[in-house]
Amino acid sequence: MKTLNRIKKAFVFFLCLLLTNVILAQNLELKIDEVLQSKFKNNETGAVALVAKKGNVIYRKAFGKANIELDVNMKPENVFEVGSITKQFTSVSILMLLEEGKLSLEDDITKYISDYPTKGKRITIHHLLTHTSGIKSYTSMQKFGEVTTKDMEPLKFIDFFKNEPMDFEPGEKYLYNNSGYFILGYIIEKTSGMSYPEFVETRIFKKLNMNSSYYGSRSKLIKNRAAGYRMRNGEYSNAQYISMTLPYAAGSIMSNVDDMLKWQTAIRNNTLVKKETIDKAFTNYTLNNGKKMNYGYGWNLNEIKGVPTLEHGGSIPGYKSMGVYVPSEDVYVIVFSNCGCKSPTDLAIKIAALAINKPFSVADSNFSISKEELNKWVGAYEFEDGGIRFISLKDNQLYSQREGSSSNFKMYPTSSNEFSFEDGFYTYKFSEKRGKKTAIFQNRINKEIGVFTDKEAPKEKKEVLVAPDVLKRYEGKYELQPGFVITVTSKGNQLFAQATGQSQFELFAENQTKFFLKVVQASIEFHGNENGIITALTLYQGGREMKGVRQ
């Protein structure tokens, strides 16, 4: 009888444990649903998300439309352009060739491109992998917009950017750089004897049974391809065309969430390279001055509430992507979106936080601080990078605004001297010692220290209303310099401006002819002739004035 009772108790315990796990899984699913549905609606562009723990899929869903024109719903099998997540495949390809003895991370790039103008500087493969080469990134060049539709061989395109002035000395700074990874693709070709597309498809995709992954193509028929879109003037349109020969080893791969889990599993299990080799990709390298850059080879090194993570996102016309891996929990999150207007970056981070039970949340609004205590931290703080952040108080609410930005973020108190932004990613910690006030501003792993200064906050500009027929007069293309054009459009009472190769932004009227931007500290003034016809505009930004003639 005692044995029977023990069996019954054990069974009841097991049943309770099973039910508890089911309830927790259901709660997690609902919370992830809520995160994704906040941005992706059923009748709009969509997303696919997958969450795995210890290699097992615990969440896999699709939202919205894979094709708006054909009214086709998104499904988990859909294939997306992954953008800069491609850099993971490029870096691992380099490490595979390293193990084979075909290259060294300290090789100078002139070993592979003998006529590359390094201007006497030593630029290594390591510099390319870590975005510390100082080479100009071609996506930051104004003239890149002129060639985006052209198919170009790797060496021909390297010629396109190689003579640009260097941004800094090799190893001096970290500056995200697509040119570096483009050159890495060519190095892979030179050392392997295979084209970059052939290398990743035969040496990686086929080996890992990634049967829904491809080197990108706009002409090839690809099963389950999700169409890519952009948002202009509040309306969806097909994504801008770009030749896939240009993102190349920096951003041309296509995949789906299931294949990306195979990829992450292979990385975890050291399938393609040894552990000591792949660990090079996850090392937090330092600059020449010893400062850590929080980047390895193709992965960002970050954290979620103190728990280390490996991350990378991607952006290419029509698509956005974000992957987050938490090594200590063996949790992987991958989210793809088929619109350039809807980034899944913050969502993927929030989902990963939920999956490891360390959720980011809006600060506790019940925590109250007196107006006098809040006012104690008001003022300007100068940070180590030279940036100024202004802390202001309005209606018992603290706000933070960075100099040069018009965005003013609410800060919620978590203690008498600690505050959090609404998403929980950004926090402030203030202190005062011997009359000297300081502020620690933290964005997850990144931490900056600011010192109180007497600089005055910028005065808020007031918007005025301009009639639609007046705004219509400003529409057109204005060339500021060869290849760099600002396109102005209007819709109702709204005016928009889009510079070559950049996103579209709304303009806000300061008066009938002068408008300002809220995303950056800049303004535009329109000029007309004696007949009232608009002939030019002037862009004011960063202390500079640039005049553009209407075409």
Side-chain angles (χ1 to χ4, degrees):
M1 182 64 73
K2 289 182 179 179
T3 302
L4 182 62
N5 286 335
R6 282 199 299 268
I7 293 173
K8 286 181 178 178
K9 288 180 180 178
F11 177 75
V12 170
F13 174 78
F14 173 76
L15 186 61
C16 290
L17 183 63
L18 182 64
L19 288 172
T20 300
N21 288 336
V22 169
I23 292 170
L24 288 173
Q26 289 175 338
N27 287 340
L28 177 61
E29 180 181 4
L30 291 173
K31 289 176 181 178
I32 296 174
D33 283 346
E34 185 179 351
V35 169
L36 291 165
Q37 288 169 346
S38 68
K39 181 168 284 191
F40 300 104
K41 313 301 179 185
N42 290 335
N43 60 341
E44 300 176 357
T45 59
V48 175
L50 179 146
V51 183
K53 188 166 188 176
K54 301 188 184 304
N56 299 311
V57 176
I58 61 174
Y59 185 94
R60 180 177 179 270
K61 284 189 180 182
F63 300 83
K65 300 292 182 183
N67 190 302
I68 297 176
E69 293 164 293
L70 298 177
D71 195 29
V72 176
N73 290 332
M74 194 75 78
K75 59 183 180 180
E77 296 77 18
N78 279 127
V79 173
F80 297 74
E81 294 176 22
V82 306
S84 285
I85 288 180
T86 298
K87 292 179 173 66
Q88 295 179 2
F89 295 88
T90 299
S91 68
V92 171
S93 298
I94 289 287
L95 293 176
M96 291 167 71
L97 294 167
L98 173 70
E99 278 197 348
E100 294 166 16
K102 293 182 178 178
L103 55 78
S104 165
L105 298 177
E106 294 306 312
D107 283 344
D108 192 297
I109 63 173
T110 55
K111 179 177 179 179
Y112 306 98
I113 310 172
S114 59
D115 65 342
Y116 198 95
T118 58
K119 300 175 177 60
K121 314 299 180 185
R122 186 168 182 273
I123 302 174
T124 66
I125 289 176
H126 171 81
H127 288 136
L128 301 179
L129 286 165
T130 55
H131 304 288
T132 58
S133 68
I135 293 171
K136 177 73 70 178
S137 182
Y138 63 84
T139 47
S140 69
M141 295 165 56
Q142 292 180 358
K143 62 181 182 179
F144 177 57
E146 301 172 19
V147 301
T148 53
T149 61
K150 297 179 180 179
D151 292 337
M152 301 177 74
E153 292 296 320
L155 269 182
K156 184 69 174 176
F157 191 63
I158 289 172
D159 286 342
F160 172 78
F161 62 76
K162 72 180 185 181
N163 291 308
E164 291 292 310
M166 291 184 64
D167 288 327
F168 48 82
E169 297 287 313
E172 183 181 56
K173 295 180 182 179
Y174 166 90
L175 184 62
Y176 194 79
N177 190 312
N178 286 303
S179 294
Y181 271 79
F182 193 100
I183 295 172
L184 287 170
Y186 181 71
I187 291 173
I188 290 167
E189 295 195 358
K190 288 277 285 185
T191 54
S192 69
M194 306 165 69
S195 71
Y196 177 81
E198 186 182 2
F199 188 95
V200 294
E201 288 179 348
T202 59
R203 299 283 310 270
I204 296 178
F205 298 159
K206 286 184 180 178
K207 182 171 182 177
L208 302 181
N209 293 317
M210 295 175 66
N211 300 319
S212 294
S213 298
Y214 314 87
Y215 181 85
S217 170
R218 296 292 170 88
S219 59
K220 182 178 179 179
L221 295 179
I222 293 178
K223 186 179 180 181
N224 293 324
R225 184 203 298 261
Y229 297 93
R230 62 179 172 178
M231 177 78 76
R232 301 188 71 178
N233 300 334
E235 296 179 356
Y236 287 110
S237 62
N238 289 308
Q240 174 189 358
Y241 176 83
I242 182 172
S243 167
M244 299 304 282
T245 64
L246 305 187
Y248 185 52
S252 281
I253 282 176
M254 302 179 68
S255 190
N256 68 5
V257 294
D258 299 315
D259 272 9
M260 288 303 298
L261 177 57
K262 292 178 183 178
W263 167 247
Q264 179 55 48
T265 301
I267 297 300
R268 171 78 174 182
N269 295 337
N270 310 311
T271 304
L272 297 171
V273 292
K274 299 172 185 175
K275 183 180 185 304
E276 55 265 33
T277 304
I278 196 63
D279 282 349
K280 296 179 186 296
F282 309 138
T283 299
N284 194 347
Y285 293 104
T286 57
L287 300 172
N288 294 343
N289 62 7
K291 184 178 180 181
K292 291 186 180 296
M293 63 183 78
N294 299 329
Y295 197 89
Y297 296 163
W299 275 269
N300 289 292
L301 283 66
N302 214 311
E303 61 182 39
I304 292 174
K305 295 193 171 181
V307 180
T309 60
L310 302 169
E311 309 173 2
H312 214 287
S315 178
I316 195 168
Y319 303 90
K320 297 274 190 179
S321 59
M322 184 62 182
V324 180
Y325 182 62
V326 187
S328 62
E329 303 285 337
D330 196 7
V331 165
Y332 182 58
V333 177
I334 183 75
V335 187
F336 292 146
S337 160
N338 67 330
C339 184
C341 62
K342 295 184 179 180
S343 172
T345 298
D346 288 355
L347 305 187
I349 295 166
K350 289 179 180 179
I351 291 169
L354 288 169
I356 65 171
N357 199 29
K358 286 185 176 290
F360 288 102
S361 59
V362 178
D364 185 3
S365 59
N366 293 323
F367 193 98
S368 61
I369 297 181
S370 69
K371 185 176 180 179
E372 288 73 22
E373 288 178 296
L374 291 172
N375 199 55
K376 182 178 180 180
W377 311 120
V378 169
Y381 295 81
E382 184 170 2
F383 288 80
E384 297 157 296
D385 63 356
I388 304 287
R389 287 189 171 89
F390 300 99
I391 307 300
S392 59
L393 177 64
K394 184 179 179 181
D395 300 327
N396 283 347
Q397 173 71 61
L398 279 186
Y399 293 84
S400 171
Q401 180 180 10
R402 185 179 175 90
E403 185 177 43
S405 171
S406 57
S407 299
N408 220 358
F409 297 98
K410 288 183 178 180
M411 298 163 55
Y412 299 86
T414 55
S415 74
S416 61
N417 67 327
E418 295 178 298
F419 298 81
S420 171
F421 286 17
E422 189 169 3
D423 60 12
F425 292 176
Y426 299 87
T427 61
Y428 271 103
K429 184 175 182 179
F430 297 96
S431 63
E432 184 174 16
K433 292 181 180 178
R434 298 172 187 170
K436 183 180 179 180
K437 287 190 283 188
T438 59
I440 297 175
F441 178 72
Q442 188 160 359
N443 173 18
R444 301 174 63 206
I445 199 172
N446 297 304
K447 185 185 294 185
E448 301 174 62
I449 299 176
V451 178
F452 187 84
T453 177
D454 58 2
K455 188 165 185 176
E456 291 186 12
K459 293 181 180 179
E460 187 176 346
K461 292 183 179 179
K462 293 184 179 180
E463 300 173 33
V464 300
L465 189 64
V466 179
D469 59 328
V470 175
L471 297 180
K472 202 78 176 173
R473 293 170 51 212
Y474 301 139
E475 290 187 339
K477 296 180 181 293
Y478 300 81
E479 187 176 52
L480 280 73
Q481 54 183 275
F484 187 61
V485 174
I486 290 181
T487 302
V488 177
T489 56
S490 68
K491 184 178 181 182
N493 288 318
Q494 295 173 303
L495 195 66
F496 301 89
Q498 184 172 22
T500 301
Q502 299 180 22
S503 301
Q504 185 183 67
F505 298 113
E506 186 175 356
L507 299 175
F508 300 87
E510 190 174 338
N511 55 45
Q512 294 293 303
T513 59
K514 194 168 185 179
F515 298 76
F516 63 93
L517 285 77
K518 290 187 176 180
V519 289
V520 295
Q521 197 167 29
S523 60
I524 288 176
E525 186 172 12
F526 294 94
H527 313 287
N529 59 22
E530 62 273 11
N531 298 318
I533 298 173
I534 302 301
T535 58
L537 64 72
T538 300
L539 171 65
Y540 302 94
Q541 187 175 10
R544 298 175 60 202
E545 296 182 15
M546 297 180 67
K547 192 165 185 178
V549 178
R550 192 175 190 178
Q551 297 178 319

